[in-house]
Amino acid sequence: MNNYWLNIIVLFKRLMLVLIIYQLSRLFFYLNNSFVFQSAGILEFLGGIRFDLSAIFFTNALIIIAHTIPGNFKYKPIYQSVLKVLFVLINIIFIATNFIDVEYFKFTSRRSTFSLITASGMQADLVRLIPVFLKDYWWIVLTFVITIIGFWKLTPQFNSNKLKINRPFKGYRKSIPYLVFLFSVGLVIIFGRGGLQRNPIKLVDAIRYSDSSVNTPLVLNTPFSILKTMFKSDNLKELNYYSESELNKIYQPIIELNAETEFEKKNIVLIILESFGEENLFLEFEGRKLTPFLDSLSTTSMYFTNAYANGRRSIDAVPSTILSIPNLMETSYISSPYSFNEVDGFNKVLKNEGYETSFFHGAFNGSQNFHQFSTIASFDNYFGKDEYDGNHSEAEDGVWGIYDEEFLQFSVRQMNKLPQPFFSTIFTISSHNPFRVPDRYEGKFPKGNRLVHETVAYTDYALKKFFESAKKTDWYENTLFVITADHTSSDDKRDLYYLNPLGSYKIPIMVLDVGNEDFKGTNSKLMSQIDILPEILRHLNYTVKLISYANIPHKNEGRMVANFNEGLYHFIIDNYYVCFDGQKILKVSDSSVDKLLQTELKDYPKDFLEKKIKAYIQQFNNRIIKNRTTITKY
């Protein structure tokens, strides 16, 4: 047989081996996250082949060219040896990202994009977390090492030394290598773009191979997700669903508050609890409540029981809660080129009223880009691990920074020094991987049935101590406390509800007005993190007109919650859950009766929902792009 055909056969076998490994890594991903993909079947695996081939042909384009390019130089031992090493090295790098997502998916509910895999906005965090993850998830590392060894040993070898006779092509057959080469380049293009359809396949196309958007990460692979987002600084593009006049009639992100009484200049303390999803509240283990303080606070505050996060990462929660900006793009707002936009957030509004503003985060300075964000957002003060004034050796957790109890006490001491009125944001850190509590509290808190539970109980205790200290200050009685979470917590022991696009964003929002005993009870209106700003301003009788993508506080109908994940938009509009791909509605369920989103509605107000969603996204994209995010630029 001609050496050229032997070389082509080796290439074919090598690509098939990579495809098999991609499918095996998908199976590994599925087995480790099967609690999420309970409705998944063979369709997701078969559909995944299309995305695997796209990633494989793109990442191996140079390898394919090196195998098929005409010329006898290909058969030299050194050329083939280098080719094999490059083939294995290139593919192992990309296969490694699939292994990373085996566990990282639990924290993000998505395949990692280029910004995630490069830790955009979280570079310093990644350096500290890598040793922790290697230790905690050693079995994934071991499986990957075994995969590397097996991949190297199973990769077919083109053994030039055993070729005794090379029978060259003769006559018209001499053109065969050139035709095969051109054919191979064509295959790279065709498979790389996912077929001969008009447009290359995108992340959102994964929904075609699943009955549920929950299962789309199983259809995808991480290399494909990275490649599709590699050259995007963000996913925003200017939209023209409607003309400007039509758009403003359908939806305008302008909230106008007109108070009849004087603005109450109360101190505002916004507390964002790390990984404190609603599913962690009101639990009891072995006769002990997991969060006794927050459980009791829910009865003395205004507890919004139908509240959602606007993102799945801590870095998304800060702009949502402070700036009232939802997470509707691939990168976080903080890490995007739009982070310098002028925005009608808490800081801008309250500083105009003479408030002193501060941001407290117990992690090392630079974590999550919060320190940088506080500067961009014009906070007067930033207090992190570097500013902590206590005994570091006793207070540090060894990974992130200062344990919640010590840092919350430090926050009280610092707020004692601030002129009133002040606006302070506190972001806790302890209820986060590696889920450590101080040694002195070993056995004090219930461990529950999830990794996060013991640290949730510890943070609840730290919060109780914080309020005990705050009550002794001269500013406590004139303070409004807002308590919420950055996002839900993630692991495999969760109720099915907390795995779907509704429950996986479900968080508590509690507002405690110390000086107003009548402001308490439960409120079931639809809320999300971006609603906190207008809700608080209205409560304090503030008259203002601002740009916000939040709901109008005094309206209980037509309310919305918006999220974006895996190229799909997820909206809750009143009782409708809507999945939208940017062009059309993919699914609608009645979230009021179908909590698990198992039934797809056939009869629903399609025109109303589609117009509302398109107008919302168009206003968001176009205003963010053009820096029209404050009323002064309207």
Side-chain angles (χ1 to χ4, degrees), residues 325-375:
I325 293 180
N327 175 49
L328 294 183
M329 49 186 171
E330 288 289 354
T331 58
S332 68
Y333 179 81
I334 290 179
S335 303
S336 77
Y338 314 114
S339 60
F340 291 93
N341 281 14
E342 188 178 354
V343 179
D344 289 335
F346 265 118
N347 265 17
K348 180 181 178 184
V349 172
L350 296 178
K351 289 184 78 168
N352 287 337
E353 297 297 329
Y355 275 69
E356 180 85 1
T357 60
S358 303
F359 193 103
F360 294 82
H361 186 221
F364 56 93
N365 292 35
S367 174
Q368 305 277 354
N369 273 3
F370 290 164
H371 195 175
Q372 295 89 328
F373 166 78
S374 69
T375 301

Side-chain angles (χ1 to χ4, degrees), residues 216-499:
T216 55
L218 183 59
V219 179
L220 295 167
N221 61 73
T222 308
F224 178 85
S225 182
I226 292 172
L227 290 168
K228 286 297 179 179
T229 57
M230 183 175 289
F231 302 107
K232 295 182 179 180
S233 58
D234 56 79
N235 72 316
L236 294 189
K237 61 179 181 180
E238 194 167 343
L239 299 174
N240 297 289
Y241 295 130
Y242 307 105
S243 66
E244 193 73 15
S245 59
E246 288 178 305
L247 180 65
N248 291 331
K249 289 177 183 178
I250 302 170
Y251 172 74
Q252 280 211 61
I254 298 175
I255 292 180
E256 190 167 359
L257 303 176
N258 295 297
E260 297 180 356
T261 58
E262 187 178 354
F263 174 46
E264 298 181 57
K265 285 193 176 184
K266 293 192 173 187
N267 306 309
I268 301 173
V269 178
L270 170 63
I271 302 175
I272 305 173
L273 302 174
E274 172 68 52
S275 302
F276 242 89
E278 182 199 60
E279 73 266 31
N280 295 310
L281 302 184
F282 312 110
L283 297 179
E284 189 172 304
F285 298 98
E286 299 177 355
R288 292 188 292 173
K289 287 188 173 183
L290 189 71
T291 55
F293 177 73
L294 278 176
D295 292 355
S296 64
L297 191 65
S298 69
T299 64
T300 58
S301 65
M302 181 58 67
Y303 179 29
F304 294 94
T305 59
N306 195 20
Y308 298 85
N310 291 106
R312 290 284 295 142
R313 299 173 297 171
S314 301
I315 201 170
D316 299 325
V318 168
S320 295
T321 53
I322 298 174
L323 303 180
S324 195
I325 293 180
N327 175 49
L328 294 183
M329 49 186 171
E330 288 289 354
T331 58
S332 68
Y333 179 81
I334 290 179
S335 303
S336 77
Y338 314 114
S339 60
F340 291 93
N341 281 14
E342 188 178 354
V343 179
D344 289 335
F346 265 118
N347 265 17
K348 180 181 178 184
V349 172
L350 296 178
K351 289 184 78 168
N352 287 337
E353 297 297 329
Y355 275 69
E356 180 85 1
T357 60
S358 303
F359 193 103
F360 294 82
H361 186 221
F364 56 93
N365 292 35
S367 174
Q368 305 277 354
N369 273 3
F370 290 164
H371 195 175
Q372 295 89 328
F373 166 78
S374 69
T375 301
I376 294 171
S378 300
F379 275 92
D380 296 314
N381 312 286
Y382 180 87
F383 299 100
K385 173 187 170 184
D386 292 356
E387 287 72 31
Y388 177 69
D389 61 4
N391 187 327
H392 279 253
S393 62
E394 294 179 0
E396 288 192 29
D397 63 10
V399 178
W400 285 108
I402 310 301
Y403 279 114
D404 284 347
E405 182 182 3
E406 283 83 357
F407 197 77
L408 284 171
Q409 293 300 312
F410 165 70
S411 300
V412 174
R413 294 195 297 271
Q414 293 303 315
M415 283 187 278
N416 285 338
K417 303 174 185 178
L418 298 177
Q420 299 185 54
F422 58 75
F423 167 66
S424 294
T425 297
I426 305 174
F427 204 123
T428 68
I429 69 168
S430 292
S431 45
H432 189 289
N433 187 286
F435 308 115
R436 294 177 181 174
V437 299
D439 293 340
R440 65 182 180 276
Y441 289 133
E442 181 64 34
K444 177 178 175 62
F445 307 110
K447 292 187 180 296
N449 58 14
R450 298 173 62 194
L451 289 174
V452 74
H453 276 163
E454 185 178 22
T455 51
V456 161
Y458 164 69
T459 296
D460 180 78
Y461 174 77
L463 199 60
K464 174 188 174 185
K465 302 287 285 185
F466 167 81
F467 273 88
E468 288 175 353
S469 297
K471 286 179 181 178
K472 300 174 184 177
T473 67
D474 61 358
W475 49 263
Y476 178 77
E477 291 295 331
N478 188 44
T479 301
L480 186 77
F481 294 90
V482 182
I483 301 174
T484 188
D486 58 345
H487 53 73
T488 56
S489 48
S490 303
D491 60 45
D492 57 351
K493 296 179 180 178
R494 308 176 76 191
D495 185 281
L496 285 177
Y497 169 68
Y498 294 110
L499 299 175

Side-chain angles (χ1 to χ4, degrees), residues 120-188:
S120 178
M122 299 181 286
Q123 293 88 342
D125 305 69
L126 185 64
V127 171
R128 292 170 180 263
L129 280 177
I130 284 177
V132 176
F133 281 125
L134 290 177
K135 176 184 176 183
D136 290 351
Y137 306 113
W138 59 269
W139 52 277
I140 295 179
V141 177
L142 179 61
T143 305
F144 178 60
V145 171
I146 293 173
T147 301
I148 293 176
I149 296 172
F151 186 36
W152 174 258
K153 289 185 174 295
L154 293 174
T155 297
Q157 177 71 41
F158 182 88
N159 196 331
S160 303
N161 296 326
K162 291 185 178 181
L163 292 175
K164 297 180 180 179
I165 300 175
N166 180 29
R167 299 174 182 173
F169 291 107
K170 296 181 180 180
Y172 70 90
R173 293 184 179 181
K174 289 182 179 180
S175 62
I176 288 177
Y178 297 94
L179 294 175
V180 171
F181 174 72
L182 293 175
F183 180 72
S184 300
V185 172
L187 286 181
V188 169

Side-chain angles (χ1 to χ4, degrees), residues 501-571:
L502 284 179
S504 61
Y505 290 89
K506 197 76 163 59
I507 60 170
I509 294 180
M510 300 180 189
V511 181
L512 175 66
D513 189 341
V514 177
N516 186 351
E517 294 183 356
D518 295 328
F519 189 67
K520 62 182 179 181
T522 59
N523 191 317
S524 61
K525 70 180 179 181
L526 192 59
M527 288 275 289
S528 67
Q529 290 164 330
I530 64 173
D531 294 313
I532 291 175
L533 170 62
E535 198 73 35
I536 295 306
L537 295 179
R538 176 174 179 261
H539 176 70
L540 295 178
N541 301 312
Y542 192 63
T543 296
V544 68
K545 186 177 182 182
L546 49 81
I547 298 293
S548 173
Y549 301 94
N551 294 294
I552 298 173
H554 56 274
K555 287 190 176 182
N556 293 328
E557 295 182 352
R559 297 180 69 86
M560 291 193 299
V561 169
N563 289 300
F564 179 83
N565 198 13
E566 294 284 13
L568 297 174
Y569 296 91
H570 301 274
F571 278 79

